[in-house]
């Protein structure tokens, strides 16, 4: 059964692309409040015209293409970005491959070939700072100047500010790097989350009375190492929990690992894919001299996590499904 959210890619035949749609164009890393303003403008434009509204985004992220040797902390991978977009009311997303050919396409060619001829758009919404095309020559002002000749409507959204600070993906990355998950949640419009498959670990948590679901995050994840109150999604089910992200200094100081303890859960989670939403930061990662001291601290961490989660009973990202 169709969910109503369709993904259009470079190999999608033009006959399968709805003509006359309006688009929200951007990189949409995190789908934060600034992105949602652009999406909201496209949705309003689509309703007024009686046409569907789509997102236009790029994979891989252009930043990764231009700086392949620079670590890139993405707030959302492609799948989770699409799941977030699918929950906004958009009819679908156009995912354009960002490669050498697209990087070398002039802004004018991109507008005329990709937006007008292939997608057949009737309108476009962008953020004030979005640039596109070879040399980043394409800009909101270029779209506005071209609009009358092309017969399209253009909406340029100003920046969204919180406490006099512009919302941006960079600001959210910085907040997460400092463990400021509440700030990140405010800018995102919902908790930041990761998704991963539960893998086998050393099973130390089981011996400590805290069996954990272990998930290996992207090696460039910039989240601050520490202990967090988390809410876990297992399909449509939700569980509260406490999680450690870091190198386990009491034991092996190894590669960073996310270890999640689900409250009031019994069962085998190996190979299960979980969504883990970060609700509150409890403390930094510490090294303990004894196992007893570690267990006492874990008991305290769990109590604090339960309090965080009780204060935010509905906190979880709004996620849609993808055709």
């Amino acid at each position: 059964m169709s969910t109503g959210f369709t993904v259009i890619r470079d190999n999608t035949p033009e006959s399968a692309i709805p003509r006359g749609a309006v688009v929200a164009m951007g990189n949409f890393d995190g789908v934060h409040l600034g992105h949602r303003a652009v999406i909201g403008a496209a949705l309003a434009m689509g309703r007024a015209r009686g046409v569907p509204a789509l997102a236009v985004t790029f994979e891989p992220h252009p930043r990764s293409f231009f700086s392949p040797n620079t670590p890139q902390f993405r707030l959302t991978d492609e799948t989770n970005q699409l799941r977030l977009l699918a929950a906004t009311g958009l009819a679908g997303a156009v995912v354009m491959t960002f490669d050498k050919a697209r990087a070398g396409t002039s802004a004018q060619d991109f507008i005329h070939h990709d937006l007008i001829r292939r997608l057949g758009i009737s309108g476009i919404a962008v953020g004030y700072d979005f640039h596109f095309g070879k040399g980043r020559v394409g800009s909101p002002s270029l779209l506005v100047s071209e609009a009358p000749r092309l017969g399209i409507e253009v909406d340029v959204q100003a920046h969204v500010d919180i406490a006099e600070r512009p919302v941006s993906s960079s600001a959210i990355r910085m907040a997460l790097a400092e463990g400021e998950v509440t700030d990140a949640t405010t800018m995102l419009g919902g908790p930041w989350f990761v998704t991963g498959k539960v893998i086998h670990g050393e099973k130390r948590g089981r011996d400590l009375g805290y069996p954990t679901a272990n998930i290996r995050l992207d090696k460039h994840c910039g989240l601050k190492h520490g202990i967090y109150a988390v809410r876990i999604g297992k399909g449509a089910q939700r569980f509260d929990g406490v999680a450690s992200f870091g190198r386990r200094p009491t034991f092996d100081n190894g590669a960073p690992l996310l270890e999640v303890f689900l409250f009031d859960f019994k069962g085998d989670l190996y190979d299960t894919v979980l969504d883990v939403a970060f609700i509150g930061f409890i403390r930094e990662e510490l090294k303990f001299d004894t196992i007893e001291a570690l267990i006492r601290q874990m008991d305290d961490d769990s109590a604090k996590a339960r309090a965080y989660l009780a204060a935010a009973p509905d906190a979880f990202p709004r996620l849609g499904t993808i055709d």
Side-chain angles (χ1 to χ4, degrees):
M1 184 175 69
S2 174
T3 62
F5 187 87
T6 303
V7 179
I8 297 166
R9 300 188 183 274
D10 293 351
N11 60 357
T12 300
E14 288 189 22
S15 59
I17 300 173
R19 310 304 291 179
V22 301
V23 298
M25 187 165 69
N27 290 316
F28 299 120
D29 187 20
V31 194
H32 56 60
L33 292 183
H35 298 146
R36 290 174 188 272
V38 175
I39 292 165
L43 289 168
M45 193 187 302
R47 285 192 297 269
R49 291 173 169 265
V51 298
L54 310 170
V56 170
T57 189
F58 305 88
E59 286 292 339
H61 193 293
R63 191 174 59 246
S64 298
F65 175 83
F66 288 116
S67 302
N69 298 320
T70 302
Q72 308 289 352
F73 173 22
R74 283 191 60 166
L75 298 174
T76 44
D77 61 18
E78 179 182 352
T79 298
N80 280 342
Q81 183 183 94
L82 290 172
R83 293 169 75 198
L84 287 166
L85 291 171
T88 64
L90 291 168
V94 180
V95 181
M96 296 185 176
T97 303
F98 199 89
D99 53 14
K100 185 177 181 180
R102 183 146 278 128
T105 300
S106 71
Q108 289 283 1
D109 282 349
F110 179 80
I111 293 170
H112 289 274
H113 178 271
D114 292 285
L115 297 180
I116 302 300
R117 195 179 78 180
R118 175 164 166 76
L119 297 181
I121 70 168
S122 62
I124 183 169
V126 292
Y128 72 102
D129 60 348
F130 184 75
H131 289 79
F132 60 94
K134 184 177 180 180
R136 291 170 53 84
V137 171
S139 65
S141 60
L142 176 63
L143 289 169
V144 170
S145 67
E146 290 285 291
R149 186 165 63 85
L150 298 172
I152 63 172
E153 183 179 353
V154 176
D155 186 298
V156 180
Q157 287 291 303
H159 53 79
V160 173
D161 293 345
I162 294 177
E164 300 183 352
R165 182 177 64 170
V167 171
S168 69
S169 298
S170 296
I172 295 166
R173 289 187 199 99
M174 187 177 300
L176 292 172
E178 295 172 352
E180 300 290 346
V181 295
T182 301
D183 286 352
T185 296
T186 300
M187 289 186 280
L188 285 165
W192 181 69
F193 76 107
V194 296
T195 302
K197 182 182 288 188
V198 177
I199 62 173
H200 287 271
E202 299 297 327
K203 300 180 174 57
R204 296 191 189 98
R206 184 180 302 174
D207 296 333
L208 300 173
Y210 284 90
T212 58
N214 302 321
I215 298 172
R216 189 78 65 188
L217 302 187
D218 184 274
K219 64 180 179 180
H220 300 312
C221 178
L223 178 68
K224 181 182 179 71
H225 290 183
I227 311 302
Y228 294 85
V230 295
R231 183 158 288 129
I232 302 96
K234 179 179 178 285
Q237 295 178 287
R238 300 288 179 263
F239 299 92
D240 287 351
V242 62
S244 167
F245 177 61
R247 298 182 180 276
R248 306 162 304 285
T250 301
F251 296 105
D252 55 15
N253 212 34
L257 185 69
L258 178 65
E259 300 172 284
V260 184
F261 174 65
L262 285 71
F263 300 145
D264 310 315
F265 175 85
K266 294 186 183 301
D268 184 351
L269 289 170
Y270 292 121
D271 295 324
T272 300
V273 175
L274 301 178
D275 295 316
V276 182
F278 292 78
I279 310 302
F281 179 76
I282 296 173
R283 64 172 175 85
E284 295 187 1
E285 192 173 40
L286 300 171
K287 183 174 182 178
F288 294 89
D289 293 329
T290 66
I291 297 300
E292 291 74 20
L294 172 60
I295 293 173
R296 284 195 300 272
Q297 184 62 62
M298 292 168 72
D299 291 342
D300 185 62
D301 295 338
S302 295
K304 289 178 178 175
R306 287 184 184 274
Y308 263 118
L309 294 158
D314 300 319
F316 200 77
R318 286 191 61 205
L319 303 172
T321 52
I322 308 161
D323 282 353

